[in-house]
Structure formats: structure tokens, C-alpha cells
Amino acid sequence: MRPRWDPREKACIPVLTLDDRLVELSLVDVLHEADALRSVEGATPGEKIAVIEFLLAICYASGTYPASAADWPAWVDQEHALRPAARWLGERPQDEVWDLFHPTQPLGQNALLAPFLDEHGAGPAQLVIEQVGDYNQFFDHHHLDHPRPLPAALAFRAMLAQHIYGPAGRARISGKATLGATITNLAATRLGTRIRVIALGVTLGETLRLNLAPVSGPSGELNLSWTTGKERRGFTRKPDGRPVSGPADLHSYLGRSVLLRPTPEGDVDRVLLGAGELLALRDEHLQDAVYARRADGSAKPLWASATRAVWREAHALYAAVDKARSSKSVNDGATLYRRLALFPAEDVAPEPGQQPARRIELWTVGLVAKQTTAITWVDGTFPFAPGLEARLYHASFRGSEVAEFVAAALYKAAYKAWTVAYPNPKPADKNGQVARFDARSRHWAATREPFDLLMDDTTLGEPVQECLLDFAADVSTAARRFLTESLDSLPRNSQGAKARSAALRRFDDELALPKAPAELRELREERA
């Protein structure tokens, strides 16, 4: 007998309660109890985002969203406003299949892969983005065909993450023996190449309401499986992206063709994974995106980087709200930032040390990947309070500028140490020798904590310029210490002493230059 597994009934979503207990609930219970829960939990940021995306899709499909942008601020504060979505989900008709293991309409999957699953499938780790690697081995060196079963709840959440975060590359599946040649060409999924921004409230219910937008047209239908609902793409050629029918369609689209094989006990022991749907995305489908400049000057939605932390671009989030508040079209609610600007700014200047009337965290999540190999998840949370966006923008922008300038000074100091310590270097050895004295990686790792403190203090109404001066002092002092420690490997002779002295002097001189951020120059003047 094929097992049955329905996430509406099965406890499958880890959540944190308001009294800090970690429990698992079904989809229906999560929506019904959303205002008694603190957050969705998961093994990775991407898994948590995937679950939130699916919950948003259910809310849209059920008609549970604000009537208009004008209604949105009050609607966010309505406790239990998501319970209609819970009722709708629990009362779906019998012919609407929510069974993860249904033979012809498996939830979130492509049943057309069934004839090829046994021969061409792999172990269940293929489903887990962080474990797949090069599609040949686990991260722990087990072969991908290792048969250890994956619990159905974990497989369900991993499948949701694959649909929206699966990286581009080549799948293991061969198109010649299955559905067509292009099934092996994995396109980057909807969130696989950019940062997703989620507004976090005090409860899960508030979080979902903050991220539910008014709908001017159809809300669309849930994508429950490849063989139900709309006609899907084929795999004989690369198709054009299909239009998005509404937000429910957008948040539940099938970015991969997936099929899971269940064990008699209801776990998953084999997986087949290939290319999925392509969407024709427009600006309205990127309502949380913020834009950053690339090296060539063009703008694109903020992307994840293994070498450039998201906090260095946090000012883009606050700039988006500040621009929206001053825009004449603020009331259309078309983007997350225009909706945030709808909250009244009556408490622009809270007393120092006091929390603002409303505090929201902006949570950013992205995946760094190289072809099909996931490198790392990057995420960060940044405080926001209505009316304080201009101050928060100033603090984050100037803080980032200070950190960037200090990093550049560290490199120039390292280069100076190299020129003295290696008077006759081989060109091929240069990069490795300079890296010996380069303390930038330690600087960037250590700067996140003072940056978070800078943003928290600004949100609490502390004077921004004083906060920036404290930040500049902490960052520059720590950077000089990192540089000093990186120079400890120099020999204890006159040449080493000259290199050490020249590097430290270069670092100090850089921070005193007229082009240095004012906060660094003020510190130099105070110390002088």
C-alpha cells in the first residue's frame, strides 16, 4: 500500500511559540495559531523562507489579504486575520489532492517522471540543496545514491526550498532517456539569484500580514502538482517564461520537476529532479527587491555574495522606504517599502533608549552558489521603525562607508609592508605575500557586530552622529589591532621593524586623509 502524507494534517512545520517552545504543527494549525507563534524555524534560512512563501501562497489563494493599500496598516494589526485561510485550507474539496505520495497528482511534484524514477533517481539527499554538492557526493563523502531515507516532513520542506532557491546548472537526469533534452538544464529558480526581503513582526501572524499585499487582479491558483491546474512546459526545447496568473501562483510555482519515492513507512528513499517552470517576471513580482549597482554601473536586485556581506548594502532598504514616503504614489502599496511607508511617522523621535512605537525587522536571505553547488546561505536582520528611515539610512550608509574606507586602508598598509619586506619579489609570489599582511577578512568579520549595535542605537533614538563616532572608533581600533597582529610574522630584525613601522604609519595616514569619512577624521583630531 502506498502511504498517504498530507501536510494539512501532519505536523511538519517547526515553529517557535511565544513562550519559546519549539514544536511542529500542520499547515492548518500554523495558520490557525499564527498569532500565538513567534516564527517559523528550520535548518537553514532558505528552508524558513520557503515555508513562509508557501504560507503566503495559501493566504492569497484563500482570499486572505488586505482589501486595499489604505486598509493595509490596520489589517496588519488584526489578530486572527489569518484564520479564514486555515479554514479554507482544511475544507478543500476531495478532488483537490494534497497528498505528497499520490500516484498521479503528488503534491508539488511531476508525476510524469514516475517511469524513470527507479532507474534514474538518486538518494534523497539530492533534494537537499546544501547536501547535493556536485550531484555526485554528499558533503560528508557518501555517494549520492546512499539510500538512507529522509522523513517526509523534511522532504516536503526541502522540496519547497528547491522550487524557489534551486541553483542553475546541469541535473543528473538524462533528457535522452526521459521527458526530453532540456529537462537536464536547470535554470536558476525565482529567488536563486537575488536577496529576498521579509518584514518580520512580533508574531508569525504579523509577519505574514506584513508581507501580504493588496491584490488588484486575480489572486491566481496554487500550484499543487505538475499534472493539475494550468498546462505546464515541455522539455523538447527551452520555453519562454509563462505569465504569472497572480500572487498565489507566484509564491507556489514549481521551479523544479521533482518526484519522491516513498517507503512503506512513509519516508522518502529516492528522488528524481530536473528542470521546472520558467516565469516571465515583471516589476510587480519583485515587490520586496531593492537594487544595487554592479561594477559596470547597471542596477540589479541585490544579490548574495560570499565576499560582500548584506549589511554593507543595508542602506538600500531604508532608502527604498524613504523614497516611498516622499513619493506621490505611496498609497498604491505596490512594493513592500511603499506599504511600510503607509505606517504613520508620528513617533519619529523617540526618547533616547526607548523602543519606537512600532519596530519591524527586515530580514534578508540569499543563496551563494557556483553552478549546482550551494556555497553558503547569507542572511541578516536590520531594524526598521516608521518615520526613522531617513536616520537609519544615514547611519547605515555612513557606517558602510567607514567600514569600506578602513578596509581599503588595511590593504594599502599590507601592500606597504610587502614593498619593504620583499624588496626583490617574484611577480608570481606577489598576491600570496601581500595576503600574509592583509587583515581585511578579520575586519569584515568583526565589523558586523558594531554595525548591528549602530543600527539598534539609531532605532532607539540615540543621536546618529554620536553613534557613528562610536562605530568609527570601534572599527578603526579593531582594524589597527588586526593589522598589528598580521605583522607579527615579520622577522625580528631591522627589515621587519621597518616594514612594521611603515605599514602602521600608512594605515594611520590613510585615516587622516581629507577624503576619509568625516567620522574617522574627527577621531584622529580628538586623539591628536
Side-chain angles (χ1 to χ4, degrees):
M1 293 291 293
R2 179 181 290 265
R4 180 179 180 278
W5 193 91
D6 186 335
R8 299 175 304 169
E9 304 167 356
K10 299 287 187 179
C12 58
I13 308 298
V15 290
L16 191 65
T17 65
L18 293 181
D19 56 359
D20 293 327
R21 290 180 297 111
L22 184 64
V23 298
E24 284 198 3
L25 300 177
S26 68
L27 286 175
V28 171
D29 288 339
V30 166
L31 288 168
H32 188 269
E33 301 297 332
D35 288 292
L37 305 174
R38 193 178 304 281
S39 61
V40 166
E41 297 299 304
T44 66
E47 180 184 307
K48 292 188 278 188
I49 289 285
V51 171
I52 289 173
E53 288 279 326
F54 198 61
L55 293 172
L56 292 174
I58 293 169
C59 290
Y60 281 120
S62 67
T64 308
Y65 48 80
S68 66
D71 293 335
W72 182 82
W75 187 78
V76 168
D77 291 330
Q78 290 182 20
E79 287 193 11
H80 312 310
L82 302 180
R83 287 189 172 177
R87 289 194 296 271
W88 177 89
L89 183 61
E91 296 171 356
R92 301 311 298 148
Q94 291 295 320
D95 59 350
E96 188 173 277
V97 179
W98 285 77
D99 182 5
L100 194 68
F101 302 133
H102 193 276
T104 60
Q105 300 174 37
L107 180 64
Q109 299 161 71
N110 185 352
L112 300 178
L113 293 171
F116 318 106
L117 177 58
D118 292 345
E119 180 180 356
H120 298 282
Q126 186 180 8
L127 194 63
V128 183
I129 290 175
E130 304 78 26
Q131 292 184 359
V132 171
D134 59 5
Y135 285 125
N136 291 314
Q137 288 187 331
F138 291 145
F139 69 101
D140 59 0
H141 306 299
H142 283 138
H143 193 272
L144 191 59
D145 281 324
H146 194 285
R148 182 171 57 200
L150 193 66
L154 293 180
F156 172 64
R157 299 195 301 272
M159 178 185 69
L160 294 181
Q162 275 283 359
H163 283 318
I164 62 170
Y165 275 113
R170 300 280 289 181
R172 295 179 77 252
I173 186 173
S174 170
K176 294 179 181 179
T178 55
L179 299 180
T182 63
I183 197 167
T184 194
N185 299 328
L186 303 179
T189 45
R190 182 169 64 89
L191 300 182
T193 59
R194 74 172 181 92
I195 295 290
R196 175 69 160 107
V197 184
I198 293 284
L200 298 178
V202 176
T203 67
L204 176 60
E206 185 181 353
T207 293
L208 294 174
R209 291 191 292 273
L210 282 167
N211 294 280
L212 285 165
V215 179
S216 56
S219 60
E221 296 181 354
L222 287 172
N223 292 285
L224 294 181
S225 82
W226 197 272
T227 50
T228 60
K230 59 183 65 64
E231 184 178 348
R232 313 283 170 179
R233 62 166 287 191
F235 298 100
T236 57
R237 62 176 181 84
K238 180 182 177 180
D240 296 327
R242 70 165 177 82
V244 177
S245 65
D249 176 26
L250 176 72
H251 291 282
S252 66
Y253 101 113
L254 305 177
R256 290 286 183 262
S257 286
V258 179
L259 191 60
L260 314 179
R261 188 178 75 181
T263 66
E265 295 75 26
D267 297 327
V268 173
D269 70 348
R270 202 158 184 81
V271 171
L272 189 56
L273 187 149
E277 294 193 282
L278 299 177
L279 298 181
L281 297 175
R282 302 194 298 269
D283 287 346
E284 65 194 75
H285 305 129
L286 304 173
Q287 60 89 30
D288 65 299
V290 292
Y291 291 82
R293 292 285 174 186
R294 294 190 289 191
D296 62 4
S298 61
K300 62 175 282 189
L302 186 61
W303 62 94
S305 169
T307 57
R308 186 175 179 85
V310 181
W311 66 261
R312 294 163 68 179
E313 299 289 349
H315 51 272
L317 302 172
Y318 303 118
V321 184
D322 192 37
K323 181 179 178 180
R325 193 176 291 279
S326 61
S327 172
K328 293 181 180 179
S329 59
V330 66
N331 291 326
D332 63 12
T335 68
L336 171 64
Y337 309 101
R338 287 183 176 179
R339 294 197 302 278
L340 291 175
L342 292 171
F343 284 123
E346 54 205 16
D347 294 310
V348 170
E351 291 296 320
Q354 291 186 353
Q355 288 286 357
R358 180 187 294 273
R359 175 170 170 150
I360 295 166
E361 301 290 335
L362 299 177
W363 182 35
T364 57
V365 176
L367 175 65
V368 180
K370 182 179 180 181
Q371 296 180 330
T372 53
T373 301
I375 305 300
T376 187
W377 290 101
V378 295
D379 75 317
T381 54
F382 307 99
F384 167 76
L388 292 182
E389 53 269 5
R391 292 187 182 192
L392 290 164
Y393 169 78
H394 179 70
S396 56
F397 182 75
R398 296 297 297 172
S400 182
E401 281 201 326
V402 167
E404 297 278 2
F405 196 87
V406 170
L410 283 171
Y411 180 77
K412 291 174 182 177
Y415 189 88
K416 186 65 177 179
W418 170 75
T419 61
V420 178
Y422 298 94
N424 298 300
K426 294 179 181 179
D429 296 336
K430 174 184 174 181
N431 290 339
Q433 291 168 349
V434 174
R436 173 185 175 187
F437 310 119
D438 190 352
R440 285 180 297 173
S441 61
R442 292 186 66 189
H443 160 70
W444 287 123
T447 303
R448 176 61 197 269
E449 186 174 341
F451 182 84
D452 286 343
L453 180 61
L454 166 67
M455 301 313 296
D456 276 335
D457 287 346
T458 303
T459 309
L460 293 172
E462 300 291 345
V464 177
Q465 199 56 32
E466 291 182 15
C467 295
L468 282 168
L469 287 171
D470 290 342
F471 173 79
D474 290 344
V475 169
S476 59
T477 301
R480 198 178 195 280
R481 184 177 73 254
F482 298 147
L483 174 61
T484 302
E485 291 171 357
S486 73
L487 299 170
D488 283 346
S489 62
L490 286 165
R492 301 296 176 179
N493 56 24
S494 61
Q495 190 78 358
K498 288 179 183 178
R500 187 178 300 106
S501 176
L504 292 172
R505 185 167 57 252
R506 180 62 187 271
F507 179 77
D508 293 337
D509 289 346
E510 283 292 318
L511 301 193
L513 289 174
K515 66 178 181 179
E519 293 81 4
L520 292 171
R521 287 186 278 111
E522 286 184 37
L523 287 173
R524 179 79 171 185
E525 292 168 3
E526 288 177 5
R527 289 167 179 169

